[in-house]
Short mmCIF file of all heavy atoms in Angstrom, two decimals:
data_model
loop_
_atom_site.label_atom_id
_atom_site.label_comp_id
_atom_site.label_asym_id
_atom_site.label_seq_id
_atom_site.Cartn_x
_atom_site.Cartn_y
_atom_site.Cartn_z
N MET H 142 -92.06 133.61 -49.34
CA MET H 142 -92.70 133.16 -48.11
C MET H 142 -91.65 133.07 -47.02
O MET H 142 -90.64 132.39 -47.17
CB MET H 142 -93.37 131.80 -48.30
CG MET H 142 -94.00 131.23 -47.06
SD MET H 142 -94.68 129.56 -47.32
CE MET H 142 -95.35 129.21 -45.70
N ASN H 143 -91.88 133.75 -45.91
CA ASN H 143 -90.96 133.73 -44.78
C ASN H 143 -91.21 132.47 -43.95
O ASN H 143 -92.33 132.26 -43.46
CB ASN H 143 -91.18 134.98 -43.93
CG ASN H 143 -90.26 135.04 -42.72
OD1 ASN H 143 -89.33 134.26 -42.61
ND2 ASN H 143 -90.53 135.96 -41.82
N LEU H 144 -90.18 131.65 -43.78
CA LEU H 144 -90.30 130.41 -43.00
C LEU H 144 -89.75 130.57 -41.58
O LEU H 144 -89.60 129.59 -40.87
CB LEU H 144 -89.57 129.27 -43.70
CG LEU H 144 -89.98 128.97 -45.14
CD1 LEU H 144 -89.19 127.79 -45.69
CD2 LEU H 144 -91.47 128.72 -45.23
N GLY H 145 -89.44 131.81 -41.19
CA GLY H 145 -88.90 132.02 -39.86
C GLY H 145 -87.48 131.52 -39.77
O GLY H 145 -86.62 131.88 -40.57
N GLU H 146 -87.23 130.65 -38.79
CA GLU H 146 -85.88 130.16 -38.55
C GLU H 146 -85.31 129.38 -39.73
O GLU H 146 -84.10 129.22 -39.84
CB GLU H 146 -85.88 129.29 -37.29
CG GLU H 146 -86.28 130.04 -36.02
CD GLU H 146 -86.50 129.10 -34.85
OE1 GLU H 146 -86.34 127.89 -35.03
OE2 GLU H 146 -86.84 129.59 -33.76
N GLN H 147 -86.17 128.90 -40.62
CA GLN H 147 -85.70 128.08 -41.72
C GLN H 147 -85.49 128.87 -43.00
O GLN H 147 -85.28 128.30 -44.07
CB GLN H 147 -86.66 126.91 -41.96
CG GLN H 147 -86.81 126.05 -40.71
CD GLN H 147 -87.24 124.63 -41.00
OE1 GLN H 147 -86.87 124.05 -42.01
NE2 GLN H 147 -88.04 124.08 -40.12
N GLY H 148 -85.53 130.20 -42.90
CA GLY H 148 -85.17 131.01 -44.04
C GLY H 148 -86.35 131.46 -44.87
O GLY H 148 -87.47 131.59 -44.38
N ILE H 149 -86.11 131.68 -46.16
CA ILE H 149 -87.09 132.21 -47.08
C ILE H 149 -87.34 131.21 -48.21
O ILE H 149 -86.39 130.67 -48.79
CB ILE H 149 -86.62 133.55 -47.70
CG1 ILE H 149 -86.34 134.58 -46.60
CG2 ILE H 149 -87.65 134.08 -48.69
CD1 ILE H 149 -87.56 135.03 -45.82
N LEU H 150 -88.61 130.96 -48.49
CA LEU H 150 -88.99 130.21 -49.69
C LEU H 150 -89.27 131.25 -50.76
O LEU H 150 -90.27 131.96 -50.71
CB LEU H 150 -90.22 129.35 -49.42
CG LEU H 150 -90.75 128.52 -50.59
CD1 LEU H 150 -89.73 127.49 -51.03
CD2 LEU H 150 -92.07 127.83 -50.21
N HIS H 151 -88.36 131.36 -51.73
CA HIS H 151 -88.44 132.43 -52.72
C HIS H 151 -89.42 132.09 -53.84
O HIS H 151 -89.73 130.92 -54.09
CB HIS H 151 -87.06 132.70 -53.31
CG HIS H 151 -86.08 133.26 -52.34
ND1 HIS H 151 -85.12 132.49 -51.71
CD2 HIS H 151 -85.92 134.52 -51.85
CE1 HIS H 151 -84.39 133.23 -50.90
NE2 HIS H 151 -84.86 134.48 -50.96
N GLU H 152 -89.89 133.14 -54.48
CA GLU H 152 -90.76 132.99 -55.65
C GLU H 152 -90.12 132.02 -56.64
O GLU H 152 -88.94 132.14 -56.98
CB GLU H 152 -90.98 134.36 -56.30
CG GLU H 152 -91.83 134.32 -57.56
CD GLU H 152 -92.05 135.71 -58.14
OE1 GLU H 152 -92.42 136.62 -57.38
OE2 GLU H 152 -91.82 135.87 -59.36
N GLY H 153 -90.90 131.04 -57.09
CA GLY H 153 -90.42 130.06 -58.07
C GLY H 153 -89.78 128.83 -57.46
O GLY H 153 -89.56 127.84 -58.17
N GLU H 154 -89.46 128.87 -56.16
CA GLU H 154 -88.90 127.69 -55.50
C GLU H 154 -90.03 126.78 -55.02
O GLU H 154 -91.17 127.21 -54.86
CB GLU H 154 -88.02 128.09 -54.32
CG GLU H 154 -86.77 128.86 -54.72
CD GLU H 154 -85.91 129.25 -53.55
OE1 GLU H 154 -86.43 129.36 -52.42
OE2 GLU H 154 -84.70 129.48 -53.76
N ILE H 155 -89.69 125.52 -54.78
CA ILE H 155 -90.66 124.54 -54.29
C ILE H 155 -90.26 124.15 -52.87
O ILE H 155 -89.12 123.77 -52.63
CB ILE H 155 -90.71 123.30 -55.19
CG1 ILE H 155 -91.15 123.68 -56.60
CG2 ILE H 155 -91.67 122.25 -54.60
CD1 ILE H 155 -91.01 122.54 -57.61
#
Side-chain angles (χ1 to χ4, degrees):
M142 177 184 181
N143 180 11
L144 304 181
E146 297 170 0
Q147 302 204 35
I149 302 294
L150 179 63
H151 294 100
E152 178 178 311
E154 295 180 336
I155 298 171

